[in-house]
Every structure is written in structure tokens, then in C-alpha cells.
Amino acid sequence: MADSSAPLLLTHLEDEEETSPPLNFDKIFEQSLSGFELSQFLQVILVGLASAFDAQQIFITVFTDAYPTWHCVDHTLCTPATTDVCRLPRSAWDWDGGFKGKSVISEFDLECSSSFLRGLPTSAFYMGSIVGGVLMAMIPDGFLGRKQLLFYTTLAMSLTGISIFFSTNIWIYAFLKFSIGIARSQTGTYAFNLIGEKVSTKWRPRATMVPFTLFVLGFMSLSGIAFLVRHASWRVVYLCTSVPAAIHSIFIYFFALESPRWLHVQGNNEQAIEVLKRISPGKRAYLESVSSMLPSEETLEQSPSSSIMDLFTRRWAFRRIVVVMIIIFGLGMMYYGVPLAVRDIKVNIYLSEALNAMVELPTFVITPILLEKFNRRSSMLVTCLVGGALGVFCFVLTMLGRTNIAFVFELGSFFCARIGFNLSAVYMIELFPTCVRNVATTMIRQALVVGGACCPIIASVGRNVPSISFAVFGIVVSGLGFFALLLPETKGSSLCDTMEEQEQSDQALKTSHVSC
């Protein structure tokens, strides 16, 4: 009886193998990482911490380049009603605490300098981020890998931050800020990609929120660090943030694992399987049994390639990239500018920056709700309009002397800017196919940085016209938000891989929301 049933069983297995789709790396990847083990969590935290140190370098000038408080020394020339030290002889006033090195403004004697010179270091930082973004985009994807690129950028950022301790004038300081901007320009992108490529589809939405959350926690920790060393030199703030970042980069080098997907694309399937074994030790037996069944590498050359020319040769793609960059430019101005301008409201700088960071945390819960309940286009438009209106109200209330209420509106405008940034991150993934998505993301990120580069000078003008920068940010983000009406609605659509698939999907979505 056994002999008669054996051929039937073999025939059944052979038929099943013929009808079932061939085993590929993606199926092995998803199966081996179907759970979320402790080793995966530690890898996500280790890589995501790079975003925390990145946030500290982005917002550190809020404290190091702040305008210190001062007091009268010679009351025959200086009275409590005096508000402009530039109209007084230097002997008639002094900085509070008698310590000149508390801020870059006081140490380098910039209190009476132009708004351009006072905002030069921060602007140099953002300009460096722009230049670095272009340079990093030119590095071939297969040159170093996700892990190595993250290691080198975080190490360069931290070492340059430490070197700022030895800067002797505003020009050297601005040059080093420019260098930090270059070094950290793609740190967040590398960390985000490395995390996203080491978790399964099921866990990716949650895991990719970790670097965003750590970014906010890094922003919040900066307020605490600055408060603890508020009586010391501004240089100490750079040491307190850059030394831990340097130590973290060493941990990345020795303990972070390379992206298994990147290794597979490079043809290193054996290394990719070894990484999966270390990430998910509970699936080691499964990985050993299927590792020899991976298909050959000849199909890799048939995958769609990214080309920046595709974004210019097709009218719809060029229109989308321009429109999204315009919207992101406005969001970048508000997101990076509001924390810089908050010092003009005359509230506690340490408390205000900590609260600005805290209001970001709820956005990671609210954003998925907006994406599920409402359309992408309308959500973007309403967020920009509300955020812009709150910024204008903040300016009006400050002029009326209602600083406490104005600060609440400032928090609201910053909250909307973060919501808009989260929405745009998802929106732009759905607007562009896989073959140009990386290139499009790089260009859109540059628009964000350009918007941030405009903020220091605008915020510095607020020293002369109190809180006018809030009105500028509000009007800009509200006006540019209307460009969202020019974008197609993508809710309910699947991601496409080629330009042709994207065109077919867009056409289908106009009538029946059929995915590609």
C-alpha cells in the first residue's frame, strides 16, 4: 500500500512545486523577520540614535547663538528704559553674570553687527546641508553600503562638532558649521533606509517611527543639556553633544548590521542570510534550510534603475517634483524657523524649546489617523493653512503684549509644521515610482534644507521688529500650501515600480482608484 501511494505523493509535490511561485529573497526576508525580536529592536535603537544626535546639531544654535541678557553699569549713561546697547558706550553696560563667553554673540562681539553676520553660522550650516546633499547623492549606492555611510557621516559630524570648541572667530566658527552641515546632510536618510530595510513589511510602519521619535527626544535633550551648562561657555554645549555622538559612531561600526536587502542587491546572498540569522536567531534553522534555494543573480540587472532624467523628460513627473518641492520649502521654513524665532516672544528659552520638542511626539500618532481617515491632498492643504494662520496670530498677539497666549499659538504652528512634514513623507513615496523614488526624495529633501537655510536671517530680523518672523513664516507656508491642489490624490493606491505603471495607476485612480 505504501508503494502504491508513494508515486501519488511524489506527483503531488512535483505539481505543487510547479504551480507555486519560485522562492525568492523577498519571501525569505519576510518569513524570517515575521516577528520583532529583541535583537531587531536593539538594532533599530542603535541606528535610530543617529537621528537624535542629528537633531541636536540642527537646533544647537538656538542656545549657542542666542542674544544674551545684559544690565546697566553706569546709570548716568544707561537707564532701565534703555533697550539698545548699540547706542551706549561699552563701559556703560555689561552682560549678565559678567561672563562674555556665554554666547557666540557676546564672545565674538556681534551684539551690534548686522542680522546677516549674526545669522551666518546657522545659515552656513544649512548651506552645508544643501551642498552635502548634492555630494552624497552622487555617491553610488553600491560604493560603501548603508552601514558604512551612516558610520562615516556620524563620525565626521561629531569630530567637526568637537573641533568647534577651538574656533577663535566668527569666520572659523561659520566654516565649521558649514562642514557639519555637509557631514550630517544625509544622516537621517541613511538611518531611515537602514532601519526600513532590516524589518518586515508588517513591522516597517512602526519601526520607521523610531528614528523620528528619537529625533524629537534628541531635540528635547538639547534643552536639558543647555540648561545644565547655562553658566558655562557655549563651547561646552558642543562638547556635550559631539562627544557622545562620536562614541555612538564607534558603536555603529562594531555592532550595527548591514542591510540584508542591500547585500542581496549587491549579489552577496550568503552575507545577507548571515545578517538575517543574527537579526532573527529564532529563524536560524529555517534560513539554513532555504539559503541554498535562492535564485540566481541574473534577474537583478532587470530591475528598474533610478534616473534623474526621468523626472524632467516626463511632464507629469516634472510637475509633481516642482510642486512638492515648493510645498516642502514652506514647511521647512516654518519647521526650522519657529524654534529659532521663539526667543523673540520673551519666554524662557529652555522651557520653550523643550515644549516645542514635546508637541512633536503626538504627531506620530495623529499622522496615521489623518492618512487613514482623510485624503492626502486635503490634509496637506488644511495643515498648511492652519499652521500659517497660527503663525500670523502669534505675531499679532506678541505685538499686543500677550506673550503667553502667543507662545501657545507658536506651539500650534510648530505642531502643524511637523504634521505637514509627516504627511509629505508618505505622500511623496506614493507620488513617485520605485525607479525614481530615491532621486525624487533627495531633491525634495534639498528643498526642505533650503527652506531652513532662509530661517536664521528672517529670525534675526525679529530682533528689530519683534516676532515679525512668525508672520513671514505663516504667510509663506499658507500661500505655498495651495500648491497641494495641483497634486493627484493617492489614497488607496499601491506603490508602483516603473514610470509606465505610475502613469497607468494615475489614470485608473481618476475614475475607479484601481491600484497598480
Side-chain angles (χ1 to χ4, degrees), residues 265-278:
V265 171
Q266 300 304 312
N268 299 323
N269 286 331
E270 293 184 2
Q271 295 183 32
I273 293 298
E274 289 301 319
V275 169
L276 291 175
K277 291 178 181 178
R278 295 181 61 181

Side-chain angles (χ1 to χ4, degrees), residues 1 56 62-63 83 91 110 141 143 174 183 189 213 215 232 245 281 286 291-293 296 363-364 418 424 426 444 465:
M1 184 174 182
Q56 292 178 344
V62 172
F63 302 100
T83 58
S91 59
L110 302 176
D141 188 68
F143 180 58
T189 302
T213 305
F215 181 91
Y286 165 76
S291 59
S292 60
M293 303 170 62
S296 58
T363 65
F364 305 130
R418 182 69 216 198
S424 64
V426 178
I444 292 171
V465 183

Side-chain angles (χ1 to χ4, degrees), residues 166-343:
F166 305 99
S167 57
T168 56
N169 56 59
I170 186 64
W171 304 108
I172 294 178
Y173 175 56
F175 172 76
L176 292 175
K177 292 294 294 182
F178 178 80
S179 302
I180 288 182
I182 293 177
R184 54 77 44 197
S185 59
Q186 295 296 329
T187 297
T189 302
Y190 295 149
F192 187 85
N193 288 340
L194 186 55
I195 289 175
E197 294 175 359
K198 289 199 292 188
V199 293
S200 63
T201 302
K202 174 184 177 181
W203 294 99
R204 189 170 299 128
R206 304 177 189 180
T208 50
M209 287 294 103
V210 171
F212 289 147
T213 305
L214 290 175
F215 181 91
V216 175
L217 294 178
F219 183 13
M220 295 174 61
S221 67
L222 182 62
S223 299
I225 293 172
F227 178 79
L228 292 175
V229 299
R230 63 189 182 280
H231 299 304
S233 170
W234 59 272
R235 304 170 189 268
V236 177
V237 182
Y238 276 99
L239 285 183
C240 292
T241 55
S242 300
V243 172
I247 297 174
H248 170 254
S249 66
I250 297 175
F251 272 81
I252 289 178
Y253 182 81
F254 287 103
F255 299 108
L257 299 176
E258 183 56 87
S259 162
R261 287 190 176 275
W262 180 84
L263 291 171
H264 169 66
V265 171
Q266 300 304 312
N268 299 323
N269 286 331
E270 293 184 2
Q271 295 183 32
I273 293 298
E274 289 301 319
V275 169
L276 291 175
K277 291 178 181 178
R278 295 181 61 181
I279 295 177
S280 183
K283 298 287 186 176
R284 180 178 292 271
Y286 165 76
L287 290 169
E288 290 178 351
S289 64
V290 300
S291 59
S292 60
M293 303 170 62
L294 282 173
S296 58
E297 303 168 13
E298 62 268 9
T299 58
L300 294 179
E301 297 180 357
Q302 301 176 4
S303 60
S305 59
S306 301
S307 173
I308 193 172
M309 292 304 299
D310 289 329
L311 295 174
F312 297 95
T313 56
R314 298 178 188 251
R315 184 177 178 181
W316 64 268
F318 179 74
R319 178 182 178 181
R320 286 186 191 181
I321 195 69
V322 171
V323 170
V324 176
M325 290 178 70
I326 290 174
I327 299 173
I328 293 296
F329 172 81
L331 289 171
M333 285 188 63
M334 176 158 280
Y335 180 73
Y336 291 117
V338 165
L340 290 175
V342 70
R343 55 196 177 197

Side-chain angles (χ1 to χ4, degrees), residues 311-419:
L311 295 174
F312 297 95
T313 56
R314 298 178 188 251
R315 184 177 178 181
W316 64 268
F318 179 74
R319 178 182 178 181
R320 286 186 191 181
I321 195 69
V322 171
V323 170
V324 176
M325 290 178 70
I326 290 174
I327 299 173
I328 293 296
F329 172 81
L331 289 171
M333 285 188 63
M334 176 158 280
Y335 180 73
Y336 291 117
V338 165
L340 290 175
V342 70
R343 55 196 177 197
D344 297 331
I345 305 181
K346 307 301 181 184
V347 294
N348 186 286
I349 189 173
Y350 305 102
L351 177 62
S352 64
E353 295 304 323
L355 290 176
N356 271 307
M358 289 180 64
V359 299
E360 290 194 68
L361 294 176
T363 65
F364 305 130
V365 178
I366 295 175
T367 301
I369 297 176
L370 293 176
L371 292 171
E372 293 175 0
K373 300 295 184 180
F374 304 99
N375 293 334
R376 310 287 193 260
R377 186 168 51 187
S378 58
S379 298
M380 284 288 297
L381 176 60
V382 172
T383 300
C384 291
L385 291 178
V386 173
L390 292 175
V392 174
F393 284 135
C394 179
F395 163 70
V396 174
L397 290 170
T398 302
M399 296 297 294
L400 296 176
R402 308 298 295 271
T403 56
N404 290 334
I405 301 178
F407 179 60
V408 174
F409 278 86
E410 180 272 335
L411 291 175
S413 64
F414 187 70
F415 177 83
C416 290
R418 182 69 216 198
I419 288 285

